[in-house]
Amino acid sequence: MTETAAARQSEMTLSDQDRRGLYRTILGRRDVRGQFLPDAIDDGVLARILVAAHHAPSVGFMQPWSFIIIRSPEQRARVKVAFDRANTEAALMFDGERAEKYRALKLEGILDAPVNLCITCDRDRAGPVVLGRTHMAEMDLYSTVCAVENLWLAARAEGLGVGWVSIIEPAALRTILDLPERVVPVAYLCLGKVSHFLAQPELENKGWRKRLPLEELVAFDRFNGPGAAGDAAFIERMRQAQQAAESGELV
């Protein structure tokens, strides 16, 4: 079947300015914990961010995500209690200097950010048999994570910070947010305007971990497959691109 012109996107490529803006957004995205401001988020901005999330790729076009906007101080306080309990447990899993460094980190902005957002996955939304999920049952969860990433990048483009709160028991979120059994809480996010964005990811800046060299994570033809002689130039270009990205630039 031949597609009509109206069924096709009018533009095949982005302008150089738009392309660079996309990369700048990706390279400037940060997990925000301690820079939130109490200022309200404009309804139009929040709507655009949610639309961006809703336009994420989803296997079988199942669109398994839902978005719970949490502004209530009482609800956020309940989530904060659940975080504190889980964070105390997590701190005991580290030893020595690592434990001290862990306890010194601020790992959430639940009460600081004006909006909290829970992105969930309804595992039954598209029925028992879903195109593309017949052999990989997790594809609905992976699709929901794509919605999280879309939202995160859209928020950064709007000048808003996002922090992912993963140190919390899913069962606690189920109770607080009245989630049905079939619905999985994939991401609990803090969202708001910020005083600034850090030049480096906070965990890298504070010595928790460093970004791994991309060349060590790329293989050829099989897991850990070495490159051929002809791949040396490409590997060098990757190295240059990562070095530039560390300064927020493109090669």
Side-chain angles (χ1 to χ4, degrees):
M1 183 175 64
T2 303
E3 296 171 338
T4 64
R8 301 177 183 178
Q9 292 188 19
S10 58
E11 294 180 325
M12 287 288 291
T13 59
L14 297 176
S15 68
D16 185 62
Q17 181 178 1
D18 288 344
R19 180 182 65 86
R20 295 183 69 84
L22 173 60
Y23 279 103
R24 285 184 61 198
T25 300
I26 293 171
L27 298 178
R29 184 210 57 79
R30 295 290 180 266
D31 193 350
V32 175
R33 287 84 172 265
Q35 297 89 49
F36 285 112
L37 300 174
D39 309 34
I41 300 174
D42 179 81
D43 284 348
V45 172
L46 183 56
R48 285 197 297 270
I49 291 171
L50 290 174
V51 167
H54 187 42
H55 277 250
S58 65
V59 171
F61 205 42
M62 67 180 88
Q63 306 160 75
W65 45 70
S66 292
F67 308 96
I68 304 174
I69 299 171
I70 303 142
R71 292 194 176 106
S72 161
E74 292 77 19
Q75 281 289 73
R76 287 188 290 147
R78 294 177 69 194
V79 174
K80 180 64 163 60
V81 169
F83 165 83
D84 287 341
R85 181 167 58 247
N87 194 44
T88 299
E89 295 171 355
L92 298 176
M93 300 178 188
F94 300 95
D95 297 319
E97 182 181 345
R98 201 71 165 167
E100 293 180 16
K101 186 172 290 188
Y102 181 92
R103 291 187 176 91
L105 294 171
K106 180 173 173 57
L107 297 175
E108 52 76 35
I110 296 167
L111 302 182
D112 304 320
V115 173
N116 289 188
L117 184 71
C118 187
I119 302 182
T120 65
C121 176
D122 186 339
R123 309 212 66 186
D124 293 342
R125 177 164 295 164
V129 181
V130 180
L131 185 155
R133 200 179 69 172
T134 53
H135 292 74
M136 295 184 69
E138 306 85 359
M139 293 310 298
D140 53 348
L141 296 169
Y142 300 159
S143 296
T144 303
V145 173
C146 289
V148 177
E149 178 73 355
N150 266 25
L151 182 138
W152 212 329
L153 293 176
R156 181 62 184 89
E158 296 281 359
L160 299 179
V162 175
W164 189 330
V165 182
S166 60
I167 306 170
I168 193 167
E169 287 287 353
L173 284 179
R174 286 184 179 280
T175 298
I176 295 168
L177 301 177
D178 296 325
L179 300 181
E181 185 61 32
R182 71 179 187 279
V183 173
V184 177
V186 172
Y188 191 92
L189 306 174
C190 305
L191 178 66
K193 297 179 181 180
V194 297
S195 58
H196 59 281
F197 289 99
L198 296 174
Q200 291 182 311
E202 186 171 0
L203 293 183
E204 183 175 17
N205 186 54
K206 294 189 175 179
W208 188 262
R209 281 183 67 86
K210 290 186 177 295
R211 192 179 300 279
L212 299 173
L214 179 58
E215 63 192 275
E216 296 180 5
L217 308 176
V218 175
F220 296 86
D221 296 324
R222 63 185 182 276
F223 191 76
N224 284 337
D231 295 316
F234 169 67
I235 293 171
E236 177 58 28
R237 289 301 298 269
M238 279 198 303
R239 188 180 297 119
Q240 294 172 4
Q242 182 168 6
Q243 288 174 350
E246 295 299 325
S247 301
E249 300 296 333
L250 305 180
V251 294

